[in-house]
Amino acid sequence: MATHLVIISDREPLAWVLRTQRMAFPAGRATSGLPAEGDQALLYTTRGCYRNPPRDRGRVMGLAVVTSPVHTLPEPVVFGERRFTSGCALHVEGLAPVREGVVLADLVPQLEVFPDERSWSVRMRRASLPLPAADAELLTRELRPFLGPRSERLADYTGDRVA
């Protein structure tokens, strides 16, 4: 089992991922480096995800397991101008409260996946970043205290309210 940091940069796709328990990947991306069925996915929201980068920080905020292989979607998923043509199913095991979780920048000096602390954000310009085992263990351990059930936290992420 591998672990991937799944990078989500906008609240609309984030809500879709959490609501549908699916992940979609942009057109033109090779499938190498993407998660496989059975892999763990650490969900990461960028500073700009909630459209207020000066206030928000990039955070690992969710834990999921990939439950299907990445495959070409019959119909692309579209958010704004971006088309996502491949995807996979997820089982979201837990979510941190909105705008909480593990601040990734604080741990960069300890993470093998970022050999150069000064340019670590360059490696984040992708949909999925495979993590070395030690990094996966550290991030998962730091995330666990924040996690609560998806069923209890989903509405805070999606805006869906049950009347």
Side-chain angles (χ1 to χ4, degrees):
M1 175 183 81
T3 300
H4 294 257
L5 193 63
V6 174
I7 301 160
I8 305 166
S9 60
D10 189 75
R11 63 186 178 199
E12 185 183 352
L14 173 64
W16 179 84
V17 167
L18 298 179
R19 188 181 294 118
T20 65
Q21 296 194 84
R22 293 171 47 208
M23 184 63 200
F25 301 101
R29 301 287 173 151
T31 57
S32 63
L34 295 180
E37 187 172 3
D39 285 353
Q40 178 174 273
L42 294 170
L43 306 178
Y44 172 82
T45 54
T46 65
R47 292 176 55 127
C49 186
Y50 298 105
R51 302 178 184 161
N52 193 343
R55 178 191 63 197
D56 293 320
R57 310 241 0 236
R59 297 177 187 273
V60 180
M61 45 59 68
L63 179 65
V65 173
V66 178
T67 59
S68 77
V70 174
H71 61 279
T72 301
L73 299 172
E75 290 291 323
V77 178
V78 179
F79 296 105
E81 300 291 317
R82 296 196 65 195
R83 294 171 52 85
F84 298 80
T85 57
S86 62
C88 61
L90 302 172
H91 172 72
V92 178
E93 294 184 341
L95 296 171
V98 173
R99 291 190 169 93
E100 292 186 36
V102 179
V103 176
L104 189 64
D106 293 347
L107 295 176
V108 164
Q110 300 171 53
L111 297 171
E112 295 173 25
V113 74
F114 304 119
D116 181 4
E117 290 178 40
R118 292 170 296 171
S119 64
W120 72 273
S121 62
V122 171
R123 305 235 24 216
M124 301 296 287
R125 295 182 185 146
R126 61 188 76 210
S128 177
L129 179 64
L131 296 173
D135 292 359
E137 185 179 315
L138 172 64
L139 290 172
T140 303
R141 183 176 62 246
E142 293 292 318
L143 177 63
R144 287 215 183 270
F146 290 97
L147 295 178
R150 174 184 168 272
S151 61
E152 293 176 14
R153 300 213 167 130
L154 181 61
D156 295 332
Y157 282 95
T158 63
D160 300 337
R161 298 283 179 225
V162 177

